Amino acid sequence: MNKKFLIAWVVIFVVWFCGSFVVHGVLLHDDYAKLPNLFRPEADAQKLFPLMVLAHVILSGALVWIYSRGVENTPWLAQGLRFGLAVALLTIVPTYIIYYVVQPMPDTVVMKQIVFDGILLLILGATTAFLYRQPTQT
């Protein structure tokens, strides 16, 4: 673990945490409010907020760790977008499909979750690649 890794971990944590708030706390808030039997009341969720922070710390560290082990000397933006897409296909897409199978979630909400979180992972992949780009890359 080096300085670049730690800086990237912190940056990705902030971007991911804020991005998740935009996706789930703003864009999907009204959709979730229509499904009170599937989600905790906001007051209950707030009591568990430290676990949400912990989850994002773990997600961010793992994302940066995986990227740092496989970074190549290729254009950073394309590499970051490919990485973000691969992570989305490994995590976001199948997870929401599985949740759709076992929870009575409206298909429109699932599609929004996949699209919005997929876009967020593209941004996270590009951000990670930017932070790990070679000094000669612009």
Side-chain angles (χ1 to χ4, degrees), residues 1-136:
M1 192 177 310
N2 58 30
K3 183 178 176 182
K4 181 182 272 192
F5 179 87
L6 290 174
I7 290 170
W9 189 347
V10 170
V11 170
I12 293 304
F13 168 78
V14 170
V15 174
W16 206 333
F17 198 78
C18 292
S20 289
F21 173 76
V22 169
V23 168
H24 300 283
V26 177
L27 297 174
L28 293 171
H29 180 271
D30 292 344
D31 292 302
Y32 293 159
K34 295 174 187 170
L35 305 166
N37 294 333
L38 292 180
F39 297 99
R40 293 182 189 277
E42 286 188 38
D44 289 348
Q46 287 300 316
K47 293 175 189 172
L48 299 170
F49 190 73
L51 290 175
M52 185 68 70
V53 174
L54 176 62
H56 281 81
V57 167
I58 294 168
L59 286 164
S60 303
L63 187 86
V64 172
W65 179 42
I66 294 167
Y67 186 86
S68 71
R69 304 307 300 161
V71 63
E72 299 173 351
N73 190 15
T74 60
W76 67 267
L77 181 57
Q79 185 173 191
L81 292 173
R82 280 191 306 272
F83 178 68
L85 178 61
V87 173
L89 292 173
L90 180 66
T91 59
I92 298 301
V93 175
T95 298
Y96 286 129
I97 291 171
I98 290 167
Y99 287 167
Y100 178 70
V101 170
V102 299
Q103 289 181 319
M105 184 75 72
D107 54 356
T108 55
V109 174
V110 174
M111 290 306 300
K112 288 178 187 180
Q113 289 171 321
I114 290 171
V115 169
F116 296 156
D117 270 339
I119 291 168
L120 179 56
L121 274 184
L122 291 174
I123 292 167
L124 290 165
T127 304
T128 306
F130 176 79
L131 295 168
Y132 268 87
R133 75 192 183 287
Q134 299 298 318
T136 58

